[in-house]
Amino acid sequence: MRVNGVVQRIEDGYAWVDVSVAQGCGRCQEPGGCGGVNIAKPFGSSSRAVRVRNEINARPGEQVRVVVEDGVPLRGALFAYAFPVLGLIAGAALGTAVASADSVDLSATIGAVAGCLAAILLGRGRTGWAKSAELPLRLEKGAVSAGGECGR
């Protein structure tokens, strides 16, 4: 996915890029369009500044593209949502399996919470960028034309 942006400032080898979250091709809302613009709607703003390693030596005011490689949003969603739910279910099942007859509910609840927390911690440990708090983004020179391309 590619999003147009303008470099606002440079700090310590990083570019702060103001990206417009309201942009997209004419097909983004249609069936078959990427719909990638919809992911930014919860932020409630029409623009957002992101910090990206400045490997292309971009300068303030320069038009650039911020690129997120295919698969990164899906992996992020899996680590953020699917693994904790699976941990919750596995923990509840394990808690139920080891419980005595009079404490099944309590054991299932404790197992569910423990499983969910374990999955969250394991998920954060497996993603390299979660440790460094650096998103897997990169910059490209120029800007994507608004017509014809779907930002992918």
Side-chain angles (χ1 to χ4, degrees):
M1 181 167 48
R2 292 175 170 78
V3 179
N4 294 338
V6 178
V7 177
Q8 297 298 313
R9 66 183 188 273
I10 305 294
E11 288 179 359
D12 301 324
Y14 289 88
W16 285 90
V17 182
D18 184 30
V19 294
S20 171
V21 295
Q23 67 186 349
C25 68
R27 293 199 40 159
C28 278
Q29 304 300 331
E30 295 177 10
C34 69
V37 119
N38 295 330
I39 199 165
K41 286 187 179 176
F43 296 121
S45 170
S46 63
S47 67
R48 178 181 170 133
V50 293
R51 180 178 173 249
V52 184
R53 187 174 297 280
N54 189 11
E55 296 173 345
I56 63 170
N57 296 319
R59 302 283 175 233
E62 188 174 347
Q63 294 264 341
V64 294
R65 287 180 292 226
V66 178
V67 180
V68 178
E69 297 301 327
D70 289 340
V72 170
L74 178 60
R75 277 195 314 271
L78 282 173
F79 282 114
Y81 299 107
F83 289 158
V85 168
L86 291 174
L88 182 128
I89 293 168
L94 184 63
T96 302
V98 299
S100 62
D102 59 336
S103 65
V104 173
D105 290 341
L106 178 63
S107 295
T109 302
I110 291 171
V113 170
C116 185
L117 288 175
I120 290 170
L121 293 175
L122 288 173
R124 286 193 57 82
R126 287 201 50 172
T127 57
W129 58 269
K131 292 178 186 174
S132 66
E134 184 173 316
L135 295 173
L137 305 174
R138 66 179 167 84
L139 289 179
E140 290 181 349
K141 293 271 187 186
V144 177
S145 65
E149 292 187 35
C150 198
R152 295 187 82 176

